[in-house]
Each structure stands twice: as C-alpha cells, then as structure tokens.
Amino acid sequence: MESGRPKDVGILAIDIYFPPSCVQQEALEVHDGASKGKYTIGLGQDCMAFCTEVEDVISMSLTVVTSLLKKYQIDPKQIGRLEVGSETVIDKSKSIKTWIMQIFEEYGNTDVEGVDSTNACYGGTAALFNCVNWVESSSWDGRYGLVVCTDSAVYAEGPARPTGGASAIAMLIGPNAPFAFESKYRGTHMSHVYDFYKPNLASEYPVVDGKLSQTCYLMALDACYNRYCSKFEKFEGKQFSISDSDYFVFHSPYNKLVQKSFARLYFNDFLRNTSAVEKDAKEKLEPFSNLIGDESYQSRDLEKVSQQVAKTLYDAKVQPSTLLPKQLGNMYTASLYAAFASVIHNKHKTLVGQRIVMFSYGSGLTSTMFSFKLQEGQHPFSLPNIASILNVSEKLERRHVVPPEKFVETLKLMEHRYGAKDYETSRDTSLLTPGTFYLMKVDSMYRRHYARKDA
Ligand code: ACO
C-alpha cells in the first residue's frame, strides 16, 4: 500500500469449470452435412462443450465458486463484492449473483455488493472492471472481489450452431496481484448495431447476422487497438506495437476469427509504421495501404497476406491462448478468460515480468482492449499454484465425448424446458465429478432446486 491506496490491483486467482459432455467438431461436420474441414479448419475448432439437462449457468457458477474458495482456502467472509457476467437469461429480474449468495449466506456473509452485468460476451469484462474499480476506490473495505463469467452458448440449427460452447470461470480480485491491471491503457469502443442479439425472450437462441458480426468484431478491434496505443504513447512517451506485449488474448467465438484478429493488429502496426513490421512484410502489405473504410474488412487478399506475414508472431504470442477456446467453443462471457487461462496453463513458468494484452468483444456492441503486467504472486497466488489449481489437462482429459445425435437431442429437450416450470431432471450425475452442483427440478413457482454431488 502506498498513500493508503492498494497497489497492483488485478487477478489474484482463477478457476474454471466446464461440463463433462462435449461433441467433436469433425463428427458434427458429418452429422450436419457440412463439407469436410469446414468446422475444424474453416472455423478452426476442435471440440464443443455443452450443458446436459442437469447443468446450467447457475449450477456451473456454484461449482466454480465453491471450488475456487476451497482450493485457495479463502474464507467466504473475506469476499466483499461479487460480480457476475452472463448473457444466458434464466430470470429477467433475479440475478445469478443472488443464487451464488447461498455459498456466502452459509457463512453468515450477506455483506456482498454487486449484481449481474449483461451485454453479450462483454458482461464478464464489465464485471471484472466493476471489481477492479471497487478495490481501487474509496469505498473498498479491504476484502476481495470475486468475478464470475458463466454462459451456455447454444444456437439454432444452422451455420452458427458449431460456434456454441459452455463454461464458468471465477476470478479473485485484490491488490498485489500476479496479474496486475495496467488501468491507464484501456481502449474502448461502443456502438449501436444489430449483429447478434436475443430479442425473442421465449427462446434461448440468439438472432445472428454472422457476416456483420465478423466485420463489427474487426472494426471494434481496430478502434480499441488504436485507442490503447494512443493511451500507451501518452503515458509512456513512446510508440506501442505488438512487440511490446508477450501475449495477445482475444474473445474467441471460433479460432479462425482470432487468427484474423491478430493479422489485423499486424496490419494496424504496418499502417502506423511501427518497427514491429519487417521489411519484406511491409513490401507485401504495401498494395493494401490505400484501402479505406469497409474495403479493408472485405478484402480477401489483405486477409490472406496479413495472416501469412503475421504467422510467426501469431504462433508465439497468440497460439498459447487458443487451447481451451478450441476445445470448448465460444463460452460467451467466459471465452476471453478461458483463453487467458490457457496462457497460464501453457506459459506459467515464464510469465513473470511479461505483459498480456486482452481484447473483449460483446455484440451489440461493446468492446475494450486492456492489459496485465505479470509479477510473481505470493502463495497461494503464485503462478505455478494458479496453473496447478486450473488443472487444465486433467479436466480436458476426463471429458466424455458424445455423438452429435445425443447433442442435438439435448438441445431439443432444452428448447422445451426453456422458460418452463414444474419439471424434474433425470438427476443423472454419472458424468459429473464429486462436488459438482446440478439441477434437480424447477417447481410450480419456477423456483430452481439444485443439489451437490457428494464430494
Ligand atoms: N474446409 C476448410 N475451410 C472451409 C470449408 C472446408 N470444407 N468450408 C468452408 N470453409 C471456410 C470458409 O472459407 C470460411 O473461412 P474464411 O472465414 O477464412 O473465409 C470459414 O470456413 C467459415 O465458412 P463460412 O461459409 O463463412 O461459414 P458460415 O457463413 O456458414 O458461418 C459464421 C460462419 C458466420 C461464423 C457462423 O458460424 C456464425 O454466425 N457464428 C455465430 C456468430 C459469431 O460467432 N460471430 C463472431 C463475433 S460475435 C460473437 O462472439 C457471438
């Protein structure tokens, strides 16, 4: 603490939960009659996690929060703010946060600020900023903040269906964090568009203008990157380029868009004439330097050439973040933070002193680029301990691959159950690991009842 203010506020600890059921993209291609390679190479996805009828965003949140508190030995009384990011609507009034309060009430702690934040995939970032801002503010009472990003991403039959996914992530927020926010450099772009939205309250599925959402994402990325660079330059007195960050972590609807996004940053660096772009790359990009406005987003040649010249840097600075998003799919609010967890899993031994730049995008649209500076955390918040608690490899290995027919059957059942009352689930917990929460029933008053598989 310096002059009474907490220092290096950021993420102290993180845990992830994802459902044990998944479907392989290769099998889904065959099932959907898509051309071979469309989902695996075209979208760049390997596998997709989904909730069966016994799990949902609330049960996943209860599971991940309980797990984080236990594994890091955090007294639930030490949480002073709990913020949830989600776009999966279960109730139009009652926040997911209030369900999670059960964990804290049990320990006599009801003094917990915060509710849910919603705007497509951006809600988790809004929740994170709320917690970080609280710890940095004069209303901070010295306790931890806790952020939960939880979503089950499901699409109607059609081209968007393979871009679903599911998971919940919990992050503990406080001072002296191994992942310290560089709050001064945030670059934000927000605007009104209809690229992906959920106007039909009787359905869980979004309305998607897929092509528009891709362009909106890339335009938002450009705007945020340029603002991030300007702020960096203002405070540091030198130009920012992709050489100044060790990793770039993107919201990941599907991996192909992440590949295109990094290539776009490279193209921006070329346009800004930074030293990150080498001579032969400059020559290759030169023919595109005069493309203006929408032209540059529609040019297939530019897309191809920029991906080609950025490839080596992509492998070093982006690839380590792609493991979980490729395996689990788009987890909406949790997607960016699952990519972040992948970097921790892959690189925890070498992260100290490095920088991670994050790009958060939520359709509609809201977007921010921000960054973390990494330092050695103190036990239990050390990087090796965080990686070991994440336990990514083991969690991935113990998943259960189901055939596409079973996945489609589950979605059909969930379509009937969406917004319904007075039903019981199968209570089949055979695939769940001990300690996992599950949905038992929704009663005649729409009240949801959960239980926990014996730990
Ligand atoms: N082998 C290899 N590649 C293939 C094959 C094949 N057999 N078939 C198609 N492809 C490629 C295409 O060339 C294309 O690649 P490109 O983007 O480099 O051109 C890619 O696979 C996808 O094929 P499209 O025909 O463009 O796919 P389609 O239009 O059917 O759907 C889309 C893709 C729009 C992403 C759809 O899945 C969707 O709407 N998803 C949800 C929206 C979304 O995720 N938007 C992103 C930001 S908003 C958010 O996060 C929700």
Side-chain angles (χ1 to χ4, degrees):
M1 303 260 276
E2 237 171 49
S3 60
R5 286 283 187 207
K7 256 189 77 195
D8 293 328
V9 177
I11 300 173
L12 287 161
I14 176 166
D15 200 2
I16 182 166
Y17 174 80
F18 44 87
S21 302
C22 63
V23 61
Q24 252 155 1
Q25 293 285 2
E26 208 174 346
L28 204 56
E29 278 170 4
V30 178
H31 175 270
D32 293 354
S35 55
K36 188 168 168 48
K38 180 167 180 186
Y39 301 167
T40 47
I41 300 162
L43 296 175
Q45 291 301 108
D46 295 331
C47 205
M48 178 166 57
F50 67 97
C51 288
T52 63
E53 46 123 22
V54 292
E55 291 194 273
D56 61 20
V57 287
I58 295 165
S59 69
M60 291 196 293
S61 302
L62 292 167
T63 302
V64 79
V65 168
T66 308
S67 167
L68 181 140
L69 296 175
K70 181 173 173 233
K71 288 178 186 152
Y72 287 94
Q73 299 188 317
I74 305 294
D75 179 350
K77 289 203 193 77
Q78 275 307 305
I79 303 295
R81 190 171 189 106
L82 167 59
E83 295 270 351
V84 178
S86 181
E87 60 160 295
T88 307
V89 182
I90 287 203
D91 191 292
K92 283 173 256 171
S93 171
K94 184 173 162 59
S95 64
I96 295 171
K97 186 269 177 86
T98 58
W99 269 285
I100 306 174
M101 278 309 298
Q102 293 171 98
I103 295 169
F104 301 95
E105 281 175 78
E106 203 184 316
Y107 290 84
N109 181 13
T110 57
D111 180 12
V112 185
E113 292 183 3
V115 288
D116 296 0
S117 293
T118 300
N119 190 91
C121 308
Y122 188 86
T125 298
L128 177 60
F129 287 177
N130 284 347
C131 268
V132 169
N133 293 347
W134 174 65
V135 175
E136 287 181 343
S137 77
S138 57
S139 59
W140 184 50
D141 66 2
R143 292 185 294 162
Y144 296 118
L146 186 61
V147 176
V148 177
C149 308
T150 182
D151 269 306
S152 160
V154 283
Y155 289 91
E157 228 171 272
R161 183 159 271 186
T163 62
S167 89
I169 290 202
M171 294 179 278
L172 192 72
I173 310 302
N176 309 316
F179 304 96
F181 257 76
E182 298 187 300
S183 295
K184 287 192 181 107
Y185 310 148
R186 284 183 205 170
T188 286
H189 170 71
M190 303 214 173
S191 166
H192 165 56
V193 285
Y194 275 125
D195 60 333
F196 163 113
Y197 45 111
K198 292 180 175 167
N200 180 359
L201 298 177
S203 167
E204 197 172 355
Y205 300 143
V207 173
V208 196
D209 185 337
K211 297 288 169 214
L212 178 65
S213 75
Q214 292 165 326
T215 309
C216 287
Y217 181 107
L218 295 174
M219 287 171 108
L221 176 68
D222 282 357
C224 288
Y225 186 53
N226 283 300
R227 279 172 200 156
Y228 179 94
C229 290
S230 302
K231 290 202 184 158
F232 183 93
E233 282 151 30
K234 186 174 146 199
F235 288 107
E236 298 299 324
K238 58 175 186 178
Q239 197 177 37
F240 182 90
S241 77
I242 45 184
S243 317
D244 291 300
S245 182
D246 300 278
Y247 299 101
F248 288 84
V249 179
F250 298 87
H251 164 56
S252 178
Y254 51 92
N255 179 256
K256 177 64 85 63
L257 193 55
V258 171
Q259 295 170 33
K260 290 182 188 182
S261 296
F262 185 70
R264 194 77 210 174
L265 295 189
Y266 196 91
F267 182 57
N268 272 281
D269 271 10
F270 159 75
L271 293 175
R272 295 166 56 245
N273 200 19
T274 72
S275 55
V277 181
E278 285 175 7
K279 195 165 165 277
D280 62 327
K282 272 187 189 150
E283 279 162 15
K284 287 185 178 140
L285 290 170
E286 199 50 53
F288 307 100
S289 55
N290 293 325
L291 290 183
I292 45 164
D294 210 34
E295 281 175 349
S296 83
Y297 299 103
Q298 305 311 333
S299 167
R300 304 286 295 171
D301 291 338
L302 168 59
E303 209 173 79
K304 220 170 99 192
V305 171
S306 54
Q307 270 176 260
Q308 216 176 56
V309 291
K311 174 83 171 71
T312 312
L313 286 176
Y314 173 89
D315 289 345
K317 292 175 187 278
V318 185
Q319 200 273 337
S321 69
T322 60
L323 173 69
L324 286 168
K326 283 176 77 145
Q327 283 294 326
L328 305 178
N330 187 359
M331 300 148 258
Y332 289 161
T333 54
S335 165
L336 175 66
Y337 301 97
F340 173 68
S342 305
V343 177
I344 302 172
H345 166 72
N346 282 318
K347 297 287 174 186
H348 62 272
K349 290 197 182 111
T350 51
L351 285 177
V352 173
Q354 299 196 319
R355 171 178 286 132
I356 299 181
V357 168
M358 312 273 287
F359 175 63
S360 181
Y361 178 84
S363 292
L365 69 82
T366 54
S367 59
T368 300
M369 184 169 279
F370 58 101
S371 56
F372 297 113
K373 199 81 192 164
L374 276 71
Q375 51 189 20
E376 216 151 334
Q378 282 165 15
H379 189 77
F381 309 129
S382 66
L383 295 170
N385 195 45
I386 295 171
S388 135
I389 285 174
L390 276 169
N391 198 14
V392 166
S393 301
E394 203 184 305
K395 283 177 186 165
L396 285 175
E397 270 161 32
R398 64 173 179 237
R399 286 183 306 165
H400 184 77
V401 176
V402 302
E405 292 75 16
K406 177 92 185 119
F407 163 67
V408 172
E409 202 181 288
T410 304
L411 291 197
K412 282 229 158 67
L413 176 64
M414 302 316 283
E415 282 169 22
H416 290 296
R417 293 244 172 111
Y418 190 67
K421 61 176 178 174
D422 230 351
Y423 66 86
E424 298 209 359
T425 68
S426 66
R427 302 185 185 188
D428 177 0
T429 61
S430 53
L431 294 181
L432 305 182
T433 48
T436 304
F437 286 82
Y438 61 95
L439 179 66
M440 289 202 302
K441 67 172 182 181
V442 177
D443 70 20
S444 59
M445 291 268 290
Y446 295 94
R447 291 174 301 210
R448 304 175 81 82
H449 299 262
Y450 295 88
R452 192 174 182 208
K453 183 167 172 171
D454 285 343

